[in-house]
Amino acid sequence: AQKITQTQPGMFVQEKEAVTLDCTYDTSDPSYGLFWYKQPSSGEMIFLIYQGSYDQQNATEGRYSLNFQKARKSANLVISASQLGDSAMYFCAMREGVDSSYKLIFGSGTRLLVRP
Amino acid sequence: KAGVTQTPRYLIKTRGQQVTLSCSPISGHRSVSWYQQTPGQGLQFLFEYFSETQRNKGNFPGRFSGRQFSNSRSEMNVSTLELGDSALYLCASSTGQGASGELFFGEGSRLTVL
């Protein structure tokens, strides 16, 4: 079974509007971390935001926020006020365990296109 | 602060050859992990090194190997290349400790096997 599921292969959003990218995960480990990365066409993976399983509040980083619903095992990324430069692939990823190695499990990604 | 540096950025090899890719992590980072990205399989974990020791390994054949040096720089090697090894190989650097340690990625090495 997939551990990270991103059900939206592609999405469009109008410039300056908000967009939500979906991510659900599956783990039996009570300690885990959830990440979102952006990958532009250049290939580099750019870290956006992190949410720990024990964090009480939803993570926010500038225009990015993570809608963390632990009971539903979802960790959706919300991008507010979309910009043309936000057009890229977005990956949700999970790291299981606190003391385990730094191994990330990635979803299949969502390609976001921002329309002017 | 310099980011993660991967070399070479692009390379073309033929089947049966071998290739070595290099990754220089962010200064002070002791963990280096490698990922393979293909259109069909997506992003898959290859292995992670921490203080010169392999700490975890993904589900790849033995043709894929790696090592880490005392300065934390890492190399990965693929022997007897196959067409399916064509991919973007990404290296990620981290402190290697702590629950919320984020991974910083390089721009990748794009390998084409003909």
Side-chain angles (χ1 to χ4, degrees), chain A residues 91-112:
Chain A
F91 291 94
C92 179
M94 176 174 66
R95 176 180 167 232
E96 293 177 303
V98 173
D99 298 321
S100 64
S101 72
Y102 277 55
K103 171 185 175 182
L104 290 184
I105 304 165
F106 284 89
S108 54
T110 296
R111 184 173 297 281
L112 178 66

Side-chain angles (χ1 to χ4, degrees), chain A residues 35 37 39 41-45 47 50 91 95 98 100-104 106, chain B residues 35 37 43 45 48 55-56 90 94 96-103 105-106:
Chain A
F35 301 77
Y37 284 87
Q39 187 179 41
S41 55
S42 61
E44 181 182 4
M45 298 287 280
F47 168 78
Y50 167 83
F91 291 94
R95 176 180 167 232
V98 173
S100 64
S101 72
Y102 277 55
K103 171 185 175 182
L104 290 184
F106 284 89
Chain B
Y35 292 80
Q37 186 177 25
L43 280 150
F45 172 79
E48 186 224 357
R55 192 156 67 167
N56 205 345
L90 290 161
S94 174
Q97 295 167 309
S100 62
E102 57 190 83
L103 278 71
F105 283 83

Side-chain angles (χ1 to χ4, degrees), chain A residues 8 11-13 17-21 77-82 112 114:
Chain A
Q8 306 153 313
M11 287 194 70
F12 291 96
V13 65
E17 292 186 348
V19 63
T20 298
L21 306 183
L77 176 70
V78 180
I79 305 174
S80 62
S82 296
L112 178 66
V114 181

Side-chain angles (χ1 to χ4, degrees), chain B residues 15-30:
Chain B
R15 279 180 296 175
Q17 287 187 311
Q18 73 164 14
V19 66
T20 298
L21 308 177
S22 177
C23 173
S24 293
I26 292 170
S27 177
H29 283 188
R30 295 163 63 190

Side-chain angles (χ1 to χ4, degrees), chain B:
Chain B
K1 195 174 186 180
V4 180
T5 304
Q6 290 189 246
T7 56
R9 291 289 315 281
Y10 302 91
L11 64 166
I12 300 173
K13 294 285 187 178
T14 57
R15 279 180 296 175
Q17 287 187 311
Q18 73 164 14
V19 66
T20 298
L21 308 177
S22 177
C23 173
S24 293
I26 292 170
S27 177
H29 283 188
R30 295 163 63 190
S31 167
V32 173
S33 48
W34 290 88
Y35 292 80
Q36 181 197 63
Q37 186 177 25
T38 60
Q41 299 298 317
L43 280 150
Q44 293 186 289
F45 172 79
L46 279 157
F47 28 64
E48 186 224 357
Y49 288 88
F50 179 79
S51 294
E52 302 179 67
T53 301
Q54 188 181 82
R55 192 156 67 167
N56 205 345
K57 189 176 189 304
N59 189 25
F60 278 82
R63 300 185 297 107
F64 292 80
S65 63
R67 59 178 175 168
Q68 187 179 33
F69 302 96
S70 58
N71 62 358
S72 293
R73 189 178 71 86
S74 177
E75 289 181 346
M76 69 161 281
N77 183 276
V78 188
S79 62
T80 319
L81 284 166
E82 301 176 359
L83 295 179
D85 297 333
S86 294
L88 178 67
Y89 290 88
L90 290 161
C91 163
S93 151
S94 174
T95 59
Q97 295 167 309
S100 62
E102 57 190 83
L103 278 71
F104 297 89
F105 283 83
E107 291 185 298
S109 293
R110 191 170 294 278
L111 170 66
T112 301
V113 182
L114 302 176

Side-chain angles (χ1 to χ4, degrees), chain A residues 37-103:
Chain A
Y37 284 87
K38 171 185 177 181
Q39 187 179 41
S41 55
S42 61
E44 181 182 4
M45 298 287 280
I46 302 168
F47 168 78
L48 296 177
I49 199 166
Y50 167 83
Q51 180 83 44
S53 59
Y54 296 119
D55 293 344
Q56 296 297 312
Q57 294 187 319
N58 287 346
T60 59
E61 290 283 351
R63 295 187 298 112
Y64 305 106
S65 60
L66 201 151
N67 184 1
F68 182 46
Q69 298 188 41
K70 197 169 182 177
R72 300 174 69 175
K73 293 189 174 179
S74 75
N76 298 340
L77 176 70
V78 180
I79 305 174
S80 62
S82 296
Q83 302 171 356
L84 295 179
D86 292 336
S87 294
M89 281 291 289
Y90 288 81
F91 291 94
C92 179
M94 176 174 66
R95 176 180 167 232
E96 293 177 303
V98 173
D99 298 321
S100 64
S101 72
Y102 277 55
K103 171 185 175 182

